[in-house]
Amino acid sequence: MKKSQLFHAAVYIRLSREDGDKEESDSVGNQRKLLMEYVSKMENLILYDTYVDDGYTGTSFDRPGFKRMIADIEEGRINCIIVKDLSRFGRDYIETGRYLERVFPELGVRFISVSDGIDSIRQAYDMLLPIKNIFNEQYARDISKKIQATVKSKQKAGEFIGAFTSYGYKKSPSDKNRLVVDEYAAEVVRKVFRLYVGGMGKLGIAKLLNSEGILCPSEYKMANGENYKNCNRLESTSYWTYSTINVMLKNEMYRGNMVQGKKHQQMRSRQRLVEREDWIIVKGTHEPIIDPETWEKAQRLLKQKHRDMSLEENRNIFAGFVKCGDCGRAMAKSSWKRADGGRTYSFHCGTYKRHGKGYCTPHTLPLHVLEDIVLEDLRAVIHNIQDLRELVKSQSFHYPDTEEIAGKELVRVKGELERVQKLKKSAYEDYKEGLISKEEFRTYREDYLKKEELYTKQAEALEEKKKEGAVQDVFETPWLKRLLELKDIENLDREIIVEMIDQILVYENCKIKICYNFAHF
């Protein structure tokens, strides 16, 4: 870059009160004023746009303003970024360093941090820059720990600290840490408990509420102006479901007890569920919606009601894999008795089966048709791969670097491990929704646990082989070896489905899409 060059500049501003930022000195307005004055004094800077992330932490770069700025850089609209200081750009020193030392130089982007006196056009980054980034990250970690300690202290004191209340409650206008009853929603909650204690099933209650036009909890909150999003539901689900009723009947908040701390998240890590014994429960913090007698009756019924289905009659080798191609719900298996005494099985869209044609269509697919389609398609895949053994051997000739080979195979094995864990979770969700029996769930869970153990051992072995440089057998990838074994396949079983298939999407008129695991490699 030359000093006489004109730069199309992006002014980037970030503020996060969760970071412990000083509102007075680092407010969006003050940052904007300082940076605009800087741009006006620099003759070779032309302001292209201002990008603001107000309320976003610096420990993650998943911010809308930042991503929009990067998109404009990649489109060639911007070749200069100006920030107040490095902490406004980011507090993750590894990612910050990657952008400043690799990404921006490769894209020809000038970087200016006004308060730090950094301008990449005038001098290379000094040795103190990574240290400053480390201090920024450490500051964020320290603030994060203090915030978590404060939050836990408030939770133990029975104060509500969540963004959204349980359906049936709202935050007190005078004290956001105290809950008061939302009478309209509370009456719906009481109705749910009355119906359940009176003998109606969870699915029946969901259908009744839908038929009466009562908004489900997420839709009700959004209708009341709350920026609410339920991350556990499918995007197209905007109605009462079996799962919603099931969760509601177990929610101890309706007894007047504050239940918090059910999830935990460390900085830059995913949320994880906390064991029930570690939840923070404080009794008698707010007005109960459900009286003690009704609550105890409902809990006794929840423990008594379960489905004892025959494993042999209901075993489904496709459980957890077959989804409706339109709404995304798991397909439910149904059966009926034939005249000859046998039984016929078919799949139907879970949404349609539970809630009717107003929410999705049947997507009916006989089980034997699905088995025939998958079996024939898998045979075709095997047939189209010529000389499989030579293909396996030939892979080794394309990768002279054994460490690189082991690394790639390790990534693949870890991907398989994540996939199996996802399938295990999917099977549990199908069990919760009543789409598979308890015995089926136990069987599939055992399958997945075995595969988790297998892939974990493979990953450990590959780590060792990377160190030793001995990877001659890595080229015989599991799916290729498995295809070799299946050359004369006659019947499908659960093991084949788990190993070969990622998911099966079913559309109307028996049109299906089979997504294979090996298609990703």
Side-chain angles (χ1 to χ4, degrees):
M1 296 182 183
K2 298 178 181 179
K3 290 189 178 182
S4 59
Q5 177 184 350
L6 285 176
F7 292 91
H8 296 278
V11 164
Y12 181 72
I13 298 167
R14 184 189 66 80
L15 180 70
S16 171
R17 286 164 181 78
E18 285 76 10
D19 270 345
D21 295 335
K22 302 176 290 298
E23 184 174 353
E24 187 63 31
S25 62
D26 284 340
S27 69
V28 169
N30 286 333
Q31 288 184 60
R32 190 192 303 273
K33 180 180 178 181
L34 182 147
L35 297 175
M36 290 303 182
E37 288 178 355
Y38 181 87
V39 172
S40 67
K41 294 176 183 177
M42 304 297 288
E43 295 181 358
N44 63 343
L45 293 181
I46 300 173
L47 180 64
Y48 177 80
D49 201 354
T50 300
Y51 303 81
V52 180
D53 283 317
D54 190 1
Y56 288 85
T57 177
T59 60
S60 169
F61 283 88
D62 186 16
R63 318 171 206 143
F66 184 84
K67 290 197 287 190
R68 184 170 68 88
M69 179 177 69
I70 294 298
D72 285 342
I73 290 173
E74 292 174 345
E75 292 293 328
R77 302 187 183 103
I78 299 167
N79 60 354
C80 179
I81 296 175
I82 307 171
V83 297
K84 176 182 176 290
D85 56 54
L86 282 174
S87 68
R88 298 305 94 208
F89 182 74
R91 293 191 187 277
D92 178 346
Y93 80 92
I94 294 177
E95 275 297 286
T96 297
R98 187 177 72 85
Y99 276 107
L100 301 190
E101 297 179 11
R102 292 183 58 186
V103 177
F104 292 159
E106 289 175 3
L107 294 174
V109 175
R110 178 183 180 185
F111 181 82
I112 300 171
S113 176
V114 178
S115 298
D116 295 311
I118 295 172
D119 186 345
S120 63
I121 199 175
R122 288 204 294 264
Q123 75 279 327
Y125 300 121
D126 59 33
M127 293 178 64
L128 291 177
L129 181 58
I131 297 175
K132 290 180 180 179
N133 288 335
I134 291 173
F135 275 118
N136 284 330
E137 165 125 337
Q138 192 57 44
Y139 174 74
R141 287 183 181 277
D142 184 53
I143 291 297
S144 176
K145 289 179 180 178
K146 290 178 180 177
I147 290 173
Q148 288 182 17
T150 301
V151 166
K152 186 163 287 189
S153 176
K154 286 178 174 287
Q155 289 175 334
K156 289 180 178 179
E159 296 184 46
F160 180 76
I161 52 87
F164 303 102
T165 64
S166 290
Y167 179 77
Y169 289 102
K170 57 185 177 182
K171 295 179 183 179
S172 168
S174 60
D175 183 358
K176 65 179 181 180
N177 298 124
R178 188 169 66 87
L179 298 182
V180 294
V181 174
D182 178 344
E183 278 304 330
Y184 172 81
E187 187 51 44
V188 177
V189 174
R190 295 185 190 104
K191 181 175 184 176
V192 168
F193 274 82
R194 282 198 306 269
L195 291 170
Y196 185 70
V197 170
M200 184 176 286
K202 300 169 192 174
L203 184 56
I205 296 172
K207 287 183 176 180
L208 178 63
L209 297 179
N210 288 327
S211 68
E212 294 178 350
I214 297 173
L215 294 177
C216 70
S218 56
E219 293 296 311
Y220 177 75
K221 290 177 182 180
M222 287 190 284
N224 280 280
E226 295 185 57
N227 186 25
Y228 178 78
K229 181 179 180 182
N230 181 357
C231 298
N232 293 320
R233 72 173 182 141
L234 294 173
E235 188 175 345
S236 59
T237 304
S238 56
Y239 47 86
W240 291 89
T241 65
Y242 173 97
S243 179
T244 305
I245 301 299
N246 187 48
V247 171
M248 181 176 289
L249 290 169
K250 297 176 181 179
N251 190 352
E252 200 172 338
M253 296 285 280
Y254 298 133
R255 299 180 66 187
N257 300 337
M258 188 68 71
V259 182
Q260 299 182 104
K262 297 165 73 172
K263 295 181 180 179
H264 178 70
Q265 182 174 15
Q266 293 181 330
M267 194 173 75
R268 283 200 309 280
S269 64
R270 294 182 179 180
Q271 275 192 343
R272 63 174 179 83
L273 296 176
V274 176
E275 295 294 335
R276 181 178 177 83
E277 56 265 26
D278 294 323
W279 292 359
I280 299 175
I281 302 177
V282 183
K283 296 182 178 181
T285 58
H286 51 272
E287 181 183 345
I289 292 176
I290 304 301
D291 62 85
E293 183 181 359
T294 303
W295 171 265
E296 292 301 331
K297 285 181 180 179
Q299 301 315 299
R300 284 197 299 271
L301 281 171
L302 286 168
K303 292 178 181 178
Q304 292 170 1
K305 291 190 175 184
H306 57 86
R307 297 170 59 185
D308 292 322
M309 302 173 68
S310 167
L311 176 61
E312 293 303 318
E313 291 184 2
N314 291 279
R315 183 168 176 80
N316 174 13
I317 64 171
F318 295 103
F321 290 88
V322 190
K323 310 286 184 183
C324 173
D326 294 307
C327 75
R329 281 281 178 196
M331 298 285 282
K333 184 163 69 85
S334 302
S335 69
W336 60 91
K337 195 172 183 179
R338 299 193 304 265
D340 61 4
R343 301 196 72 83
T344 298
Y345 298 92
S346 288
F347 286 100
H348 303 278
C349 170
T351 298
Y352 170 81
K353 187 174 181 181
R354 291 175 180 277
H355 306 288
K357 62 183 179 180
Y359 298 94
C360 200
T361 51
H363 293 66
T364 304
L365 178 64
L367 175 60
H368 73 274
V369 172
L370 177 61
E371 289 177 332
D372 290 344
I373 291 174
V374 174
L375 183 58
E376 287 305 313
D377 196 65
L378 190 55
R379 284 172 175 168
V381 170
I382 296 170
H383 179 74
N384 289 332
I385 298 177
Q386 301 298 324
D387 200 353
L388 295 179
R389 294 186 186 279
E390 289 302 316
L391 178 62
V392 174
K393 294 177 182 178
S394 68
Q395 286 193 357
S396 62
F397 301 140
H398 302 300
Y399 303 100
D401 188 334
T402 56
E403 185 176 350
E404 180 184 353
I405 298 165
K408 288 183 178 179
E409 183 66 7
L410 183 60
V411 170
R412 191 199 65 75
V413 170
K414 288 184 176 178
E416 282 292 293
L417 179 60
E418 290 180 6
R419 185 182 70 84
V420 169
Q421 291 168 341
K422 179 181 177 183
L423 289 174
K424 185 172 67 173
K425 180 181 178 183
S426 179
Y428 178 64
E429 290 171 351
D430 284 355
Y431 166 59
K432 284 201 305 182
E433 292 285 339
L435 301 179
I436 62 175
S437 70
K438 188 175 183 179
E439 290 301 320
E440 281 183 303
F441 167 66
R442 285 176 175 172
T443 301
Y444 302 148
R445 184 174 180 274
E446 288 177 7
D447 290 343
Y448 297 141
L449 287 173
K450 289 177 182 178
K451 292 200 172 296
E452 275 186 304
E453 183 180 4
L454 173 64
Y455 287 127
T456 299
K457 288 181 178 178
Q458 285 184 357
E460 291 173 354
L462 284 168
E463 290 282 9
E464 289 300 317
K465 287 180 179 179
K466 278 183 67 178
K467 297 175 184 177
E468 298 171 3
V471 291
Q472 288 87 349
D473 61 341
V474 171
F475 308 111
E476 294 189 10
T477 55
W479 67 265
L480 276 175
K481 291 170 68 178
R482 187 61 172 146
L483 282 174
L484 283 167
E485 296 171 2
L486 296 176
K487 288 186 72 174
D488 300 316
I489 181 174
E490 293 294 334
N491 297 293
L492 295 174
D493 58 32
R494 180 67 180 179
E495 183 178 1
I496 292 173
I497 299 299
V498 171
E499 286 189 305
M500 295 290 128
I501 293 177
D502 179 47
Q503 66 175 346
I504 300 172
L505 300 176
V506 180
Y507 300 90
E508 277 293 356
N509 302 319
C510 292
K511 179 181 178 182
I512 73 172
K513 177 181 179 182
I514 304 172
C515 303
Y516 289 105
N517 292 324
F518 49 78
H520 303 306
F521 305 115

